[in-house]
C-alpha cells in the first residue's frame, strides 16, 4: 500500500472511532413491576383505590417518561448534542428516581395478616442506633413529617458510618444521592395517602408501620453491610 493509501485508511479509521455509534449502544427499557400482593391486600391501612392509582398510574407514568427520556438521550448522544443530553438528565433523574423509589416501596410493604416485627440482626441494629423499634418509628415519623411538598422518608444504611440513618429526600431523588443504601422508604407524596387520610400526614405515618415488611428491610440490611 502506498503512503497516500495508508494515510487515507488511517484517517478513515480515526473518523469512525470518533463518530458516535448508536448501533453499538442498547437502550435499557424499564417496565412496571408486579406487586407481590393484590391492590386490596394492604387494607385498612392503604385502600385498594390508592394502591391501584399509585401503582398502575403514577408509577407507570414515571416508567413511561423514563423510557422516552432514554430514547431522546440516546438520540442526542448519537448526534453529539451535549446541550440536549444535559437538558434530559433532570427528566432521567426525576422519573428514574420515581421508578427506583416505588420499586423499593412496594417490596417494603406487606399485608397486615403477614406482618412480623423486626428480629435478629436488624432488630439489634435498630436498638443500638435508636433505642427500640418504637423509638425508631417516632424518630422516623418526626423526620418524614418535615418533608415540604413532595418527597420520601427513609431508613438507610451508611457504609461510611456503618450504622442506620433516618433521613429524607426531596421529590423523587433516590437515597443513593446521599451516599446511603435504602432499606425502608415511605412515600410522602400526597398521592400516596390523600384519598384516605386527606391532609393528615401524621395519621398516615402512624398507620404505615402496621404493613411494613421487616423481612424485606432485613434482607436489604444484610446485603448493605
Amino acid at each position: 500500500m502506498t503512503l497516500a493509501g495508508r494515510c487515507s485508511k488511517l484517517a478513515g479509521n480515526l473518523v469512525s472511532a470518533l463518530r458516535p455509534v448508536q448501533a453499538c449502544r442498547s437502550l435499557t427499557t424499564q417496565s412496571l413491576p408486579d406487586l407481590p400482593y393484590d391492590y386490596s391486600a394492604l387494607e385498612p391501612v392503604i385502600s385498594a383505590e390508592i394502591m391501584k392509582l399509585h401503582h398502575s398510574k403514577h408509577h407507570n407514568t414515571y416508567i413511561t417518561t423514563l423510557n422516552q427520556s432514554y430514547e431522546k438521550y440516546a438520540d442526542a448522544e448519537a448526534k453529539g448534542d451535549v446541550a440536549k443530553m444535559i437538558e434530559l438528565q433532570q427528566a432521567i433523574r426525576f422519573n428514574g428516581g420515581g421508578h427506583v423509589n416505588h420499586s423499593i416501596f412496594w417490596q417494603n410493604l406487606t399485608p397486615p395478616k403477614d406482618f412480623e416485627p423486626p428480629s435478629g440482626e436488624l432488630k439489634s441494629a435498630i436498638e443500638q442506633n435508636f433505642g427500640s423499634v418504637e423509638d425508631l418509628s417516632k424518630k422516623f415519623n418526626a423526620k418524614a413529617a418535615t418533608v415540604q411538598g413532595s418527597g420520601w422518608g427513609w431508613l438507610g444504611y451508611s457504609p461510611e458510618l456503618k450504622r442506620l440513618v433516618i433521613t429524607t429526600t426531596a421529590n423523587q431523588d433516590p437515597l443513593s444521592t446521599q451516599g446511603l443504601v435504602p432499606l425502608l422508604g415511605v412515600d410522602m407524596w400526597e398521592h400516596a395517602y390523600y384519598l384516605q387520610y386527606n391532609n393528615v400526614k401524621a395519621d398516615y405515618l402512624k398507620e404505615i408501620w402496621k404493613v411494613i415488611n421487616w423481612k424485606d428491610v432485613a434482607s436489604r440490611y444484610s446485603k448493605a453491610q
Side-chain angles (χ1 to χ4, degrees):
M1 181 181 295
T2 65
L3 178 60
R6 288 199 298 271
C7 290
S8 178
K9 183 178 180 181
L10 179 60
N13 290 340
L14 181 59
V15 170
S16 298
L18 293 176
R19 183 185 300 122
V21 184
Q22 187 174 11
C24 295
R25 185 183 297 277
S26 60
L27 290 173
T28 303
T29 302
Q30 303 297 322
S31 58
L32 184 67
D34 293 330
L35 294 182
Y37 38 73
D38 295 331
Y39 286 138
S40 62
L42 302 181
E43 292 185 336
V45 176
I46 304 178
S47 70
E49 181 182 15
I50 287 178
M51 287 300 299
K52 183 176 181 179
L53 287 171
H54 200 170
H55 176 256
S56 67
K57 301 298 183 181
H58 290 282
H59 189 174
N60 196 48
T61 297
Y62 293 129
I63 292 171
T64 299
T65 310
L66 175 62
N67 287 333
Q68 292 171 347
S69 299
Y70 275 159
E71 294 179 2
K72 293 177 181 178
Y73 189 93
D75 182 62
E77 185 178 28
K79 295 176 180 178
D81 189 344
V82 177
K84 186 66 175 180
M85 291 165 65
I86 294 172
E87 174 190 333
L88 289 164
Q89 286 176 8
Q90 177 57 35
I92 292 174
R93 174 172 176 150
F94 179 81
N95 293 286
H99 176 40
V100 168
N101 293 343
H102 283 86
S103 296
I104 295 171
F105 185 53
W106 308 136
Q107 297 296 326
N108 277 169
L109 303 177
T110 191
K113 65 181 180 63
D114 297 328
F115 174 83
E116 294 182 14
S119 60
E121 190 177 18
L122 174 62
K123 182 181 179 182
S124 297
I126 290 173
E127 292 174 343
Q128 179 180 351
N129 289 283
F130 306 109
S132 68
V133 177
E134 182 179 1
D135 289 335
L136 162 65
S137 65
K138 290 179 180 178
K139 293 174 182 178
F140 186 101
N141 289 1
K143 186 70 173 179
T146 65
V147 172
Q148 296 181 344
S150 304
W152 289 76
W154 293 100
L155 173 66
Y157 177 75
S158 170
E160 180 181 358
L161 301 177
K162 300 189 182 304
R163 59 160 293 161
L164 301 178
V165 177
I166 294 173
T167 189
T168 61
T169 55
N171 300 313
Q172 292 295 353
D173 286 355
L175 194 55
S176 59
T177 58
Q178 297 185 15
L180 301 174
V181 180
L183 306 180
L184 168 64
V186 175
D187 193 345
M188 295 306 298
W189 283 63
E190 285 190 345
H191 63 236
Y193 63 86
Y194 198 87
L195 289 178
Q196 188 171 352
Y197 296 95
N198 297 318
N199 64 335
V200 189
K201 290 193 292 186
D203 287 351
Y204 165 65
L205 286 166
K206 178 182 177 181
E207 295 299 308
I208 197 75
W209 296 97
K210 298 177 181 178
V211 290
I212 296 300
N213 184 354
W214 288 109
K215 289 183 178 179
D216 181 69
V217 179
S219 176
R220 295 177 188 277
Y221 176 60
S222 178
K223 293 175 182 177
Q225 296 181 85

